[in-house]
Amino acid sequence: MVLWVLEQDDPALNAVVWRFVGNDLGLRRALARGVPFGPGRTKPLPVRSIHERQEPEIPESYVRHGLVGALRRADLMPSARAAASMVLTRGDWETVGAANDELALPGYPRWALSVRPDCPPALRARFGSHPKFTHRLRQAGVLDGPAAYATAHGPASRVLEVLSLGHVMFPARVRDAEDALRPLVRDHLGGREEAWAVLAQIVGTFHGTAPELVVTAGAIA
């Protein structure tokens, strides 16, 4: 969800996101510098309520080795996270991708980069495809997109609560979730008031996904 909000390239929304990415030093640096995240955007953004003095510093030892050098030297997760936080722009991600294609980066740096919300999906796929790797990405909250979140995650009440913020926080992406759920809602709920009444009664305690909730409410009604 953080990425979907950042893709709006709205300085006011970025100031809100800033408060929730305290552990992601790379995102904090990018936000402090006004790095754009939306597709096709290159011009730096105005920075509101975020000052450069708040930008986390990069240790001199990492700067000395350079981006790729720091990543290749990282042999533990803390050092991998520190090196990964040097990746800020699309150009940085391209540099990382080229280096990995030439010689695969060590496991910890690949993992630290993969769980970054702004890691390009194509590069993330090149970092690893083992089921354990995919499971860790899911645990870290990395999603393919709003449609996957709407249809494959639960509980439904939490998913729908997050998606309800979409028209304000990530309007360009929430349509994907709506399109994924619309056929199910039409087929199983439609204009049937009793089906919507059942859904309202069970949504708070339902532990399944949103599609399962819709189908269940329709069947009960």
Side-chain angles (χ1 to χ4, degrees):
M1 181 179 173
V2 167
L3 177 62
W4 308 338
V5 176
L6 292 178
E7 287 175 341
Q8 303 303 309
D9 285 332
D10 183 326
L13 290 178
N14 286 356
V16 174
V17 172
W18 170 269
R19 306 170 190 170
F20 298 96
V21 294
N23 293 328
D24 194 321
L25 299 183
L27 279 184
R28 289 181 74 83
R29 291 192 180 103
L31 286 168
R33 298 185 188 187
V35 172
F37 290 87
R41 297 191 179 102
T42 57
K43 186 178 180 180
L45 304 173
V47 176
R48 297 181 182 176
S49 303
I50 302 172
H51 306 289
E52 290 190 9
R53 62 182 176 81
Q54 294 177 293
E55 179 184 337
E57 294 184 0
I58 300 174
E60 179 60 33
S61 59
Y62 292 89
V63 176
R64 184 171 62 252
H65 293 304
L67 174 57
V68 175
L71 288 169
R72 294 206 184 280
R73 285 172 171 77
D75 55 359
L76 294 172
M77 186 53 78
S79 58
R81 289 197 182 101
S85 72
M86 297 171 65
V87 180
L88 303 180
T89 65
R90 292 187 183 93
D92 292 338
W93 286 110
E94 291 171 359
T95 298
V96 169
N100 185 73
D101 291 342
E102 180 180 352
L103 177 64
L105 294 172
Y108 283 121
R110 280 188 284 125
W111 172 240
L113 290 165
S114 294
V115 297
R116 282 272 300 269
D118 52 335
C119 178
L123 177 58
R124 184 181 287 126
R126 302 207 301 273
F127 279 152
S129 58
H130 190 278
K132 183 180 291 187
F133 185 84
T134 304
H135 176 67
R136 288 178 176 176
L137 289 178
R138 184 183 178 94
Q139 284 186 315
V142 176
L143 305 168
D144 290 335
Y149 179 62
T151 57
H153 288 257
S157 59
R158 174 58 178 164
V159 170
L160 296 175
E161 180 182 6
V162 170
L163 293 177
S164 71
L165 303 174
H167 290 284
V168 175
M169 302 294 286
F170 46 95
R173 298 297 299 274
V174 74
R175 298 187 192 95
D176 295 338
E178 293 173 342
D179 291 343
L181 292 175
R182 185 176 293 108
L184 282 169
V185 173
R186 182 184 60 238
D187 294 344
H188 295 275
L189 302 179
R192 299 160 57 205
E193 292 185 6
E194 66 276 14
W196 284 100
V198 171
L199 185 144
Q201 290 174 353
I202 67 175
V203 63
T205 57
F206 194 84
H207 296 291
T209 64
E212 292 169 341
L213 170 66
V214 170
V215 171
T216 300
I220 293 174

